[in-house]
């Protein structure tokens, strides 16, 4: 059967070569130089006979429907009666039917059952075929409040423990199956090479060896052993991603161009795929990026020639979010080339209906050969059969008692402990001695959302509260318990203030949550131009308090000043919901020893300056601060000397999203005000002189403008980011108020008078960037990201102005071109 499938695919194997040669010839792979593999457990006579029987009954419309995946935000279960779509997903911020981003498991179960029921209805002219429901369960089933959240992959890479990864996969599978979902868009097998990339934390390592060993382990954890993959047994389908080269884009730009040789693409970026295929991976997700100019969603030589033929992959290839629409000559609703290249299922979240209709027309016209359609449909049905989706029983579905079960939390706590890397322990400050008075400080100390990072309940991981994690524990909570059990006393003080001098301070700080796109950065300096954490550390240092830093990040960052201001420093990555795993290493018990020693080793090299964007083991001129594989234990007597505090990169280049904070406009932006507008420092809701009051006195229109550096906000707009303003109306306006943005030659605004209609307390408003785009603003060239135009009398105080990723509560006032 496999030989027959490959023979039919061979007819199409390189039909797209002519199109590929229109770009760079380096984008055509040579399958014969790639490693062979062989899917295990997917093809057997019984399954293939069943699939063949189904396909004989299916209409062309039903076959095309299997090749289309829609997002819950754009489809209803009832739509399946008219459009026989084969798959649904809940992407990013998409909630279940009738729910919200923090909906409980029961609402997800109801959603899954609603789609499944209609897809399996017995009705004339319809072949009952279950939909397959996918979700980004990338570090646990991170979409449901009660589920366990595991460390992100960068932390698991530091653990260097394939069996742990397998067990994490198994827990994730159970907690996903509980919610009625069949398919995890995981694991990521990227090998990140430029740490400016916003998805670096989704990679296990900068080196291929760890990725190569982890790939089959995670696939087995999620799916079970090859041939034993039924959801009835608590398994779900894996989707190894993103094929191929997502971690190698030039300058770390998400969805960019990976400009490498075929040998590098194979040996570095492709390292995990042969093992994943052999482990029985049911699906592979195509990548957004290009390889030497050729979009992966349309690269037939790789999708078909390498993956399906050379590696013998028998599952199906799914696209990424409208990724097919990025192929030259394609749109989101029209792309036969992606299917002829080898994509089996297009992820068309909001474009599914148009894509279905156009693909159906192209099938009827012969633009897409019937042999290619049948191959795609066979692969999709094969996975659905092997996963047990045609069987009615779902023994795990709805068993919410398994979410955050004690055994699952124990695996997560173990993962946290094994992922921590001790970078510095001067004077053997750690472990904290029993009976100590411990001050716990820092903005991330008691915040499970911050310690979990992106892809946690929401796409970018923002807008979460501790109450959203009923089975989680913050880092502070874990430390408090451990210190108390050891006979000591712990005090939480976020700003580091105290009345009784502590024996030691533990400061927890780090990056704000982010995900793809928004996570891309321009410098590796931590908090460039806004050194809040450093100020706290230096305050404690000035009072001679021995200090331990616990640093939360999705990548190695230049933190030399923070290292200098710390006696001990722990890279904790993004540990997830089991904050107690950190105290297991930091705090000694009554016997003077901690529960665990440090075993984590860097799977990414740590930069010596903020400009070491590409810093990977084995490269020419390799000169890190802490090398790949570095990590201290309590037995090591290593003293980290004082480090240079010269970043090597202008801090202002990093800022594209903070326009006003703590009464200042951070570089590279600048504030200008109209000649009749008075300004003065005032107190914000939380900080003395933390805001600026602007007072319009004349009756002619004048503007407060923040600009000076042209920024491209297209990706932020497409990702539904918002402009968030914290403000207080002192005097309500008598006339129009326009809030807008400006390009080099024109400006666009929205009618904001309603936002300032009444004086009163401090408020926060979020306005979608898409509002400004829809009003006519060219978001690719924004010279002034904030303009407030009004006439007097009117007065408003502004404390903060920035872009944020959480769209909840965002508004879109009416537009007026040219404020």
């Amino acid at each position: 059967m496999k030989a027959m499938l490959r023979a039919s695919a061979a007819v199409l194997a390189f039909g797209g070569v002519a199109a590929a040669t229109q770009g760079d010839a380096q984008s055509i792979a040579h399958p014969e130089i790639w490693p062979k593999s062989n899917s295990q457990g997917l093809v057997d006579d019984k399954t293939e006979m069943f699939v063949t029987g189904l396909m004989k009954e299916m209409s062309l419309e039903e076959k095309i429907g299997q090749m289309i995946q829609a997002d819950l935000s754009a489809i209803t279960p009832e739509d399946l009666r008219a459009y026989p779509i084969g798959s649904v997903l809940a992407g990013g911020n998409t909630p279940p039917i009738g729910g919200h981003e923090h909906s409980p498991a029961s609402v997800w179960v109801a959603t899954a059952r609603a789609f499944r029921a209609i897809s399996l209805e017995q009705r004339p002219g319809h072949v009952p075929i279950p939909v397959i429901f996918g979700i980004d369960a990338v570090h646990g089933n991170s979409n449901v409040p009660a589920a366990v959240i595991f460390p992100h992959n960068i932390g698991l890479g530091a653990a260097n423990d394939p069996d742990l990864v397998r067990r994490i996969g198994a827990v994730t599978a159970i907690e996903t199956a509980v919610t009625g979902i069949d398919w995890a868009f995981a694991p990521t097998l990227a090998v990140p090479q430029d740490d400016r990339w916003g998805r670096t934390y989704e990679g296990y390592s900068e080196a291929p060896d760890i990725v190569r060993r982890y790939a089959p382990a995670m696939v087995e954890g999620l799916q079970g052993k090859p041939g034993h993959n039924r959801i009835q047994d608590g398994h779900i389908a894996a989707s190894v991603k993103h094929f191929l080269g997502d971690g190698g884009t030039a300058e770390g730009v998400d969805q960019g161009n990976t400009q490498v040789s075929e040998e590098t693409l194979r040996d570095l970026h492709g390292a995990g795929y042969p093992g994943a295929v052999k482990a029985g991976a049911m699906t592979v997700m195509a990548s957004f990026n290009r390889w030497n100019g050729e979009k992966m969603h349309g690269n037939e030589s790789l999708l078909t020639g390498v993956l399906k033929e050379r590696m013998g992959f028998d599952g199906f290839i799914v696209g990424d979010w409208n990724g097919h629409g990025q192929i030259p000559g394609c749109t989101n609703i029209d792309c036969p080339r992606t299917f002829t290249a080898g994509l089996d299922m297009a992820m068309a979240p909001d474009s599914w209906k148009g894509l279905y209709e156009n693909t159906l027309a192209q099938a009827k016209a012969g633009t897409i050969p019937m042999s290619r359609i049948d191959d795609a449909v066979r692969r999709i049905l094969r996975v659905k059969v092997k996963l047990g989706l045609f069987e009615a029983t779902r023994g795990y579905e709805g068993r919410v008692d398994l979410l955050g079960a004690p055994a699952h939390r124990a695996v997560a706590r173990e993962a946290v402990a094994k992922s921590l890397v001790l970078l510095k322990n001067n004077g053997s400050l750690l472990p904290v001695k029993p009976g100590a008075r411990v001050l716990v400080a820092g903005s991330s100390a008691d915040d499970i959302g911050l310690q979990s990072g992106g892809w946690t309940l929401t796409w970018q991981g923002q807008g979460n509260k501790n109450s959203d994690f009923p089975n989680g524990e913050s880092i502070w909570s874990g430390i408090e318990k451990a210190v108390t059990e050891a006979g000591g006393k712990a005090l939480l003080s976020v700003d580091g203030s105290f009345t009784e001098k502590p024996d030691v301070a533990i400061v927890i700080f780090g990056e704000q949550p982010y995900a793809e796109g928004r996570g891309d950065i321009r410098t590796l300096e931590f908090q460039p131009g806004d050194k809040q954490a450093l100020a706290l550390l230096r305050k404690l240092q000035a009072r001679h308090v021995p200090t331990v830093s616990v640093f939360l990040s999705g990548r190695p960052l230049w933190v030399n000043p923070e290292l200098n201001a710390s006696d001990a420093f722990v890279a904790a990555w993004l540990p997830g919901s089991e904050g107690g795993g950190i105290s297991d290493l930091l705090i000694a018990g009554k016997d003077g020893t901690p529960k665990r020693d440090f075993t984590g080793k860097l799977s990414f090299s740590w930069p010596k300056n903020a400009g070491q964007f590409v810093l990977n083991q084995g490269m020419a001129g390799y000169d890190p601060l802490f090398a790949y594989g570095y990590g201290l234990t309590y037995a090591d007597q290593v003293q980290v000397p004082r480090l240079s505090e010269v970043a090597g990169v202008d801090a202002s280049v990093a800022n594209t999203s903070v326009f006003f904070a703590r009464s200042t406009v951070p570089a590279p932006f600048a504030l200008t005000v109209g000649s009749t507008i008075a300004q003065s420092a005032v107190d914000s809701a939380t900080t003395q002189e933390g805001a600026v009051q602007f007072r319009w006195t004349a009756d002619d229109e004048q503007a407060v403008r923040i600009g000076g550096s042209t920024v491209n906000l297209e990706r932020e707009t497409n990702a539904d980011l918002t402009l968030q303003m914290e403000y207080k109306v002192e005097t309500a306006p008598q006339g129009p108020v326009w809030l807008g943005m400006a390009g080099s030659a024109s400006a666009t605004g929205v009618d904001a008078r309603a936002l300032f209609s009444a004086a009163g307390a401090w408020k926060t408003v979020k306005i979608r960037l898409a509002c400004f785009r829809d009003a006519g603003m060219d978001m690719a060239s924004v010279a002034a990201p904030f303009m407030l135009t009004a006439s007097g009398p009117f007065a408003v105080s502004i404390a903060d102005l920035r872009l944020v990723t959480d769209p909840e509560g965002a508004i879109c006032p009416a537009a007026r071109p040219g404020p």
Side-chain angles (χ1 to χ4, degrees), residues 764-807:
T764 299
V765 65
K766 289 186 283 190
I767 300 175
R768 297 180 187 275
L769 293 184
C771 304
F772 302 105
R773 178 198 61 198
D774 295 345
M777 185 65 209
D778 178 7
M779 302 305 289
S781 183
V782 179
F786 178 78
M787 290 181 65
L788 188 63
T789 304
S791 58
F794 171 46
V796 62
S797 298
I798 298 178
D800 195 85
L801 188 67
R802 68 183 64 217
L803 301 183
V804 298
T805 57
D806 181 12

Side-chain angles (χ1 to χ4, degrees), residues 16 42 44 50 59 111 149 209 296 323 391 421 478 614 642 680 696 802:
L42 289 179
D44 61 72
F50 179 79
S59 65
T111 296
I149 309 298
D209 292 346
M296 279 304 311
E391 302 174 38
V421 180
V614 179
R642 184 167 183 82
S680 59
W696 282 254
R802 68 183 64 217

Side-chain angles (χ1 to χ4, degrees), residues 231-514:
I231 198 163
Q232 288 77 12
D233 299 321
H235 302 308
I236 59 174
S239 187
V240 292
K241 64 182 190 182
H242 304 84
F243 190 86
L244 186 62
D246 51 339
T249 59
E251 299 183 354
V253 174
D254 190 46
Q255 304 184 23
N257 191 16
T258 300
Q259 298 168 285
V260 298
S261 68
E262 184 172 0
E263 290 74 19
T264 298
L265 188 72
R266 176 194 66 197
D267 299 339
L268 182 67
H269 299 289
Y273 287 90
V277 168
K278 188 174 182 179
M282 290 182 159
T283 75
V284 172
M285 183 179 289
S287 186
F288 279 121
N289 67 279
R290 290 168 283 153
W291 174 46
N292 294 330
E294 181 81 4
K295 276 290 182 181
M296 279 304 311
H297 276 68
N299 195 314
E300 187 172 353
S301 68
L302 285 165
L303 296 179
T304 297
V306 169
L307 181 58
K308 290 183 174 179
E309 294 179 347
R310 183 67 174 178
M311 292 189 188
F313 173 61
D314 290 327
F316 70 84
I317 303 175
V318 64
D320 209 336
W321 192 275
N322 279 328
H324 57 277
Q326 297 182 9
I327 300 172
C330 288
T331 68
N332 290 351
I333 63 169
D334 185 358
C335 194
R337 184 178 165 193
T338 198
F339 295 113
T340 58
L343 198 78
D344 301 305
M345 180 185 287
M347 185 184 290
D350 54 355
S351 57
W352 63 270
K353 189 177 293 184
L355 186 63
Y356 168 82
E357 291 170 343
N358 285 325
T359 304
L360 178 60
Q362 289 150 4
K364 291 178 177 178
T367 305
I368 306 174
M370 199 65 218
S371 58
R372 174 75 271 269
I373 293 168
D374 282 343
D375 175 56
V377 174
R378 178 173 290 278
R379 290 169 177 272
I380 294 165
L381 296 180
R382 176 186 297 143
V383 167
K384 291 183 176 184
V385 173
K386 298 299 291 187
L387 194 56
L389 302 190
F390 283 88
E391 302 174 38
T393 57
R394 295 280 185 122
Y396 283 85
E397 186 172 279
R399 291 186 56 187
V400 295
D401 58 301
L402 293 176
L403 294 175
H408 297 178
R409 293 187 64 181
V411 175
R413 187 163 182 147
E414 176 188 351
V416 173
K418 289 183 174 180
S419 71
L420 304 180
V421 180
L422 182 59
L423 299 181
K424 178 179 180 179
N425 193 25
N426 287 8
S428 298
L429 178 59
L430 290 175
V432 174
K433 295 176 176 56
R437 292 190 305 275
V438 181
L439 173 70
V440 179
S443 58
S444 301
D446 192 28
D447 194 315
I448 301 173
L450 292 183
Q451 72 193 41
S452 297
W455 291 111
T456 304
L457 301 185
T458 63
W459 176 33
Q460 298 284 335
Q462 297 190 345
N464 297 319
K465 308 179 295 295
N466 282 358
S467 58
D468 295 322
F469 304 90
N471 293 321
E473 182 176 41
S474 72
I475 298 172
W476 148 252
S477 178
I479 290 173
E480 181 188 32
K481 289 178 183 177
V483 169
T484 302
E485 288 173 0
K489 182 179 179 181
L491 168 69
L492 176 64
S493 173
V494 172
D495 66 0
S497 59
F498 57 84
T499 54
E500 183 180 9
K501 184 178 178 181
D503 298 313
V504 62
I506 301 176
V507 183
I508 300 111
F509 60 94
E511 291 186 288
Q512 292 294 304
Y514 55 83

